[in-house]
Amino acid sequence: MDERLDPVQIIARPIRGMEQDRAQVFGLWMHCARKAGWQVEPVDAPVDSASGECGVVDVEGLRYLIRVGLRGRGRAVTAPDAHVGAFVANAVLEGRGLVSYPVFSLTVWAEPVLGSDER
């Protein structure tokens, strides 16, 4: 049995602001898939950028649509002070004053392209 992660299980977390550059996000997912051991090639196919589509790839004979959006689960941290920088560093060291809560985080992932949806 293949020990590699299935391409749909490969999820990357781009840095905030990166979602504006679809080519960079697309490249990030391809890098992660290659690092996982897959042979990945971009496919020249139209995508709907407004809906979060970044591009289409061929992964060893099967096509996947690469998407970006708020999908992953993460945590946000707030501090009771507007001057966050030094306060956060001290609060972390002293274990006080920080509040964290769950949020959806920016994520890039692959969806299989099936049947009549092939691009």
Side-chain angles (χ1 to χ4, degrees):
M1 181 128 182
D2 201 339
E3 296 296 321
R4 300 177 289 184
L5 278 178
D6 188 280
V8 298
Q9 294 175 303
I10 298 171
I11 296 174
R13 303 284 174 109
I15 58 173
R16 190 170 297 284
M18 186 187 255
E19 73 273 16
Q20 302 303 319
D21 186 350
R22 301 286 183 197
Q24 195 173 12
V25 172
F26 186 65
L28 172 64
W29 189 90
M30 288 195 327
H31 169 75
C32 292
R34 288 176 178 149
K35 191 172 177 181
W38 294 101
Q39 292 179 2
V40 182
E41 296 301 325
V43 174
D44 187 20
V47 294
D48 181 7
S49 294
S51 70
E53 297 178 356
C54 298
V56 176
V57 294
D58 178 275
V59 180
E60 299 181 8
L62 295 175
R63 289 188 176 190
Y64 294 84
L65 173 65
I66 308 306
R67 301 180 60 90
V68 65
L70 295 175
R71 179 180 181 213
R73 185 176 176 92
R75 296 203 66 83
V77 177
T78 59
D81 188 323
H83 305 289
V84 174
F87 179 83
V88 169
N90 288 334
V92 168
L93 291 174
E94 298 171 14
R96 64 175 171 77
L98 298 179
V99 177
S100 74
Y101 53 93
V103 295
F104 287 112
S105 61
L106 188 63
T107 306
V108 59
W109 71 95
E111 296 175 354
V113 176
L114 304 173
S116 63
D117 292 341
E118 286 193 32
R119 297 170 187 260

